[in-house]
Amino acid sequence: AQSVSQHNHHVILSEAASLELGCNYSYGGTVNLFWYVQYPGQHLQLLLKYFSGDPLVKGIKGFEAEFIKSKFSFNLRKPSVQWSDTAEYFCAVTPVRGGGNKLTFGTGTQLKVEL
Amino acid sequence: DTEVTQTPKHLVMGMTNKKSLKCEQHMGHRAMYWYKQKAKKPPELMFVYSYEKLSINESVPSRFSPECPNSSLLNLHLHALQPEDSALYLCASSQGRDSTDTQYFGPGTRLTVL
């Protein structure tokens, strides 16, 4: 079975600081990778996803993530965060074969951006 | 329209009650999901319906009974729940093509079992 690790549980940044959130996965086969975000009081929504091609993917609101296969990692980055980026961020995976559409989430990272 | 709606928003029930959670989408999606999310934890998959057939049951206790009456609706019937079942129950839907599908989540039903 697949598993996902997010090592940063709580991150506090000042506005305009750069962001990098770590995500590592464990699975014996190929996976698709996702970052979801949950803003306060709102539902989970997709930031970006990777399933093939260029390992650097761009998502909404200036976020990007890089898939490094050798490191089983899919870290999320943003060059300059805003107060409105305060949210919980979840990395997630689905197996390409044999897992249906079973989305497995990491434990999440709570990001707080201070003015 | 990329909206998944869930009713009710909040539900309080006793351990002997029977209640149902409802989920609806009008995006033409053919896969629908139930997740359970405890406080400060990630969502955990419970059930997946693909083309109105149950395709994944993550060993969920039988006091939770899913139903997919048609491609737009998903219900979760609750009976004889325990206080530890209190959580946010999330519904999601996706196109149903393959594992690269984006899942669209509803706002959830916050369930409290007394």
Side-chain angles (χ1 to χ4, degrees):
Chain A
Q2 63 270 29
S3 66
V4 182
S5 299
Q6 292 180 245
H7 304 296
N8 313 104
H9 298 296
H10 293 90
V11 173
I12 301 175
L13 294 172
S14 299
E15 267 204 327
S18 64
L19 169 72
E20 181 159 2
L21 301 183
C23 171
N24 289 89
Y25 69 92
S26 173
Y27 184 63
T30 308
V31 297
N32 306 300
L33 296 139
F34 303 79
W35 275 98
Y36 278 84
V37 62
Q38 192 166 29
Y39 297 103
Q42 296 189 27
H43 57 270
L44 272 167
Q45 55 187 285
L46 182 74
L47 269 181
L48 46 81
K49 65 181 179 181
Y50 172 80
F51 50 90
S52 67
D54 188 345
L56 183 62
V57 292
K58 295 190 185 299
I60 61 171
K61 305 188 180 188
F63 286 91
E64 64 179 31
E66 185 176 13
F67 172 50
I68 302 180
K69 190 174 181 180
S70 61
K71 294 184 178 181
F72 300 91
S73 70
F74 190 54
N75 292 355
L76 182 71
R77 300 195 292 250
K78 187 171 183 178
S80 175
V81 294
Q82 300 173 305
W83 178 79
S84 57
D85 293 325
T86 294
E88 185 144 27
Y89 293 80
F90 292 97
C91 183
V93 301
T94 58
V96 170
R97 289 187 183 79
N101 281 5
K102 180 177 176 180
L103 191 62
T104 299
F105 287 89
T107 49
T109 298
Q110 184 68 49
L111 171 66
K112 182 177 180 183
V113 180
E114 296 179 329
L115 295 170
Chain B
D1 182 11
T2 57
E3 191 177 17
V4 176
T5 59
Q6 291 187 243
T7 55
K9 289 185 179 179
H10 301 274
L11 178 63
V12 179
M13 60 187 290
M15 290 190 283
T16 57
N17 292 156
K18 285 185 181 180
K19 297 286 185 184
S20 295
L21 309 184
K22 296 184 185 302
C23 174
E24 191 166 5
Q25 57 86 15
H26 295 287
M27 294 180 275
H29 288 172
R30 302 308 300 272
M32 295 186 77
Y33 311 77
W34 280 115
Y35 290 84
K36 175 181 179 180
Q37 187 176 22
K38 301 281 274 185
K40 310 253 185 236
K41 298 285 186 184
E44 293 181 349
L45 183 66
M46 300 173 72
F47 302 103
V48 181
Y49 272 84
S50 180
Y51 290 79
E52 294 97 72
K53 293 193 173 157
L54 184 65
S55 60
I56 296 179
N57 177 341
E58 289 289 289
S59 302
V60 178
S62 59
R63 58 186 183 267
F64 295 91
S65 175
E67 178 197 19
C68 190
N70 60 56
S71 60
S72 299
L73 292 173
L74 185 66
N75 299 321
L76 186 63
H77 302 298
L78 314 172
H79 174 53
L81 295 193
Q82 304 297 310
E84 60 264 29
D85 296 322
S86 298
L88 182 68
Y89 288 84
L90 297 170
C91 175
S93 71
S94 71
Q95 287 186 307
R97 291 173 313 181
D98 58 39
S99 60
T100 67
D101 282 356
T102 296
Q103 293 186 25
Y104 294 85
F105 285 82
T109 293
R110 190 160 299 281
L111 174 68
T112 302
V113 182
L114 301 176

